[in-house]
Amino acid sequence: MKYFNKIVPAAAFALALGMSSCTGDLDVTPINPNLALEYSPEGLFNKCYANIALAGNSGADGDCDIDGLDGGTTGFVRQMWNSNELTTDEAICSWGDDGISQFCYNSYDSSHPMLNGYFNRLTTGISYCNQYLTVASDHDATMTAEVRFLRAFHYYLLMDAFGNIPFSTTLGNPVRMTRQEAYDWIESELLEIEPSLAEAKAKKSTDANYGRVDKAAAWVLLMRLYLNAEVYTGTAQWQKAAEYAKKVMDSDYRLNTKGVNGWTPYQMLFMGDNGETDAAYEAVFPILCDGRTTTSYGTSLYVMASTFDGDMHANPFDVDAESRATNGTDANWGGNRARLELIKQFFPNNDAPQVAAYDMKEAAGDDRALFDGIGRQVDNPTGYAGVFKDGYAVAKFVNFKTDGSSGHDAKFPDTDFFMFRVAEAYLTYAEATARLNGNSTTAEGTAAINALRARANNGDTKTVYSLGNILDEWQKEFYFEGRRRVDLIRFGKFGGNSDYQWSWKGGVKNGRNFEATKNIFAIPASAVDEVLIQNPGY
């Protein structure tokens, strides 16, 4: 599958005009039923996927699908990442962009420009799905199930971030849904479409339907929903979370455990050929990126370029010294770097060395420690406004391939972004069963965590893990992948009367608690109307 060859053919694009210029509130003018237009179901289908990878139909430097907003900053992955990483103990940014400091200091409100972009990107994606389902739902049963999944996924992220949300399954005016109602609908929708999705089958980019979701993607989204059910509804669903996690663990998808040419199995998940190597078999839902046909400033390039400067060394196998000081592209924006607490996960004694990224993992005794410390301070002494070297850099995402070469474009990467990967099921299973077992892992849960540690060459395995240990493992495995805020909230470590502080939490160097109402973001002021109600505290 390549949703970048023909996203929406000309005739279909005419049909789609009503949604491609929408403001994101789901209030899209229906197509005149008396106007006869041809459309391509495949083009509309591809557009539902493409919203996650591209800002618009014309690539990175073309028009954005969302009127009045910049395509570079409103990319799906970029805004999901910003809201879930910059607000936590993992990332802090040195840019002065409007909205960055509010994220980094947990002072966001209803005027926050990036939350406005995230809200609009999600609601626009829902409109694309509703468009397909309105005109082409009888075209192909599997394609229809996939579009319904994508719509449910957008609704899940919208509900997680904003609580009460606008909701519609048509192109008509939306109604307001509470968080509980949205939870119930998402669960019901996923359970209903699961039989119509393709069988769970691990794939590489050379296999048919790579990049398209199947039953395993529905299982991952259900396990996410159930793992956080107590946050969303007040009622825990640990048993269901464990059940669906086990389905993923027992499926054809699997952890990548074999390194290639000196690159570790973990590194291979975030490299330019991750769709072509066995790393792809871990990707339940990859967001496809190609340096020439899928260009975006808001997907893999963002998590790559924003975390690198030109002084970093990420490829130990490249003999060209100038080329080594890159991420495999010519884009080194130097913005997002690690907060102290992330580094301390791997160096609890505050002894992280000032070495290149490819030497850091050996010093940490864990292949997941992909940090660059050369010429950098491990602390963030001046907060978000500091220089990029105030804090260790994260060299997790690169455009290098396992043969040591770079991607086939100098600027835009080939690295697919793995939205869902199998390791999430391992930690979900361990956590859910631990919560059912007096907050300590069962033998099976312990084995699941130890499997991830073994893959990372971390020999410090345990016979039992506490919930605190599990939260640490979530961070070690998934840092900078756009999920940390959700995990901290579930563990009671984010807003409210928390016993956990991190550097610059709440805008104070040593951290301070901020109000629990910030566990849910503000509805953008422009979207609050007679339908939507602003969240408490804003």
Side-chain angles (χ1 to χ4, degrees), residues 94-143:
S94 58
W95 298 334
D97 300 40
D98 192 17
I100 290 289
S101 65
Q102 294 97 315
F103 266 157
C104 293
Y105 292 165
N106 310 101
S107 60
Y108 37 83
D109 56 24
S110 62
S111 65
H112 195 276
M114 294 183 184
L115 287 176
N116 180 55
Y118 190 33
F119 184 92
N120 279 276
R121 177 59 64 184
L122 292 173
T123 52
T124 298
I126 291 166
S127 294
Y128 290 139
C129 294
N130 283 342
Q131 177 77 13
Y132 176 89
L133 295 169
T134 297
V135 301
S137 61
D138 60 352
H139 174 70
D140 180 275
T142 302
M143 289 168 63

Side-chain angles (χ1 to χ4, degrees), residues 107-371:
S107 60
Y108 37 83
D109 56 24
S110 62
S111 65
H112 195 276
M114 294 183 184
L115 287 176
N116 180 55
Y118 190 33
F119 184 92
N120 279 276
R121 177 59 64 184
L122 292 173
T123 52
T124 298
I126 291 166
S127 294
Y128 290 139
C129 294
N130 283 342
Q131 177 77 13
Y132 176 89
L133 295 169
T134 297
V135 301
S137 61
D138 60 352
H139 174 70
D140 180 275
T142 302
M143 289 168 63
T144 293
E146 289 178 50
V147 173
R148 289 175 66 183
F149 168 86
L150 293 172
R151 182 176 63 181
F153 178 50
H154 281 71
Y155 271 128
Y156 168 79
L157 292 175
L158 197 67
M159 176 270 292
D160 171 77
F162 298 101
N164 83 107
I165 61 173
F167 178 83
S168 179
T169 57
T170 71
L171 294 175
N173 294 335
V175 298
R176 174 179 177 266
M177 252 194 181
T178 65
R179 214 179 204 189
Q180 174 74 65
E181 291 169 337
Y183 176 97
D184 292 341
W185 181 87
I186 295 165
E187 178 188 28
S188 175
E189 183 78 347
L190 292 171
L191 292 174
E192 184 175 318
I193 66 174
E194 189 237 353
S196 298
L197 291 167
E199 294 302 314
K201 177 67 176 176
K203 296 171 281 289
K204 293 182 179 180
S205 64
T206 51
D207 297 322
N209 299 323
Y210 174 73
R212 292 176 60 174
V213 297
D214 57 26
K215 284 182 170 64
W219 299 338
V220 171
L221 191 51
L222 279 165
M223 79 185 191
R224 279 194 185 185
L225 192 70
Y226 292 138
L227 186 66
N228 295 287
E230 191 169 25
V231 173
Y232 300 145
T233 71
T235 302
Q237 297 288 356
W238 308 122
Q239 187 61 52
K240 288 182 179 180
E243 174 188 343
Y244 279 91
K246 195 68 165 62
K247 283 178 176 286
V248 178
M249 293 167 68
D250 292 341
S251 75
D252 190 60
Y253 291 93
R254 52 196 180 273
L255 295 177
N256 183 44
T257 58
K258 183 179 179 181
V260 174
N261 294 334
W263 298 98
T264 71
Y266 186 76
Q267 286 176 297
M268 290 171 61
L269 301 170
F270 314 103
M271 295 181 64
D273 58 354
N274 58 353
E276 290 70 60
T277 67
D278 285 1
Y281 294 147
E282 186 166 333
V284 176
F285 184 11
I287 307 303
L288 309 188
C289 293
D290 182 280
R292 292 176 181 165
T293 55
T294 311
T295 61
S296 169
Y297 294 106
T299 312
S300 289
L301 181 64
Y302 178 67
V303 293
M304 195 175 298
S306 72
T307 58
F308 271 76
D309 65 11
D311 296 330
M312 292 170 63
H313 297 261
N315 185 353
F317 309 110
D318 193 331
V319 297
D320 183 343
E322 182 178 354
S323 177
R324 286 175 63 199
T326 69
N327 49 34
T329 77
D330 62 6
N332 302 291
W333 304 340
N336 295 314
R337 72 268 195 210
R339 297 205 198 208
L340 174 62
E341 288 70 26
L342 173 56
I343 304 302
K344 288 175 69 174
Q345 282 287 7
F346 296 93
F347 296 95
N349 297 320
N350 291 322
D351 57 352
Q354 291 183 308
V355 297
Y358 49 75
D359 291 326
M360 192 70 72
K361 58 184 182 292
E362 182 177 354
D366 193 312
D367 289 347
R368 298 171 294 189
L370 299 173
F371 310 113

Side-chain angles (χ1 to χ4, degrees), residues 261 263 315 317-318 400-406:
N261 294 334
W263 298 98
N315 185 353
F317 309 110
D318 193 331
F400 294 117
K401 300 184 178 182
T402 48
D403 64 3
S405 66
S406 299

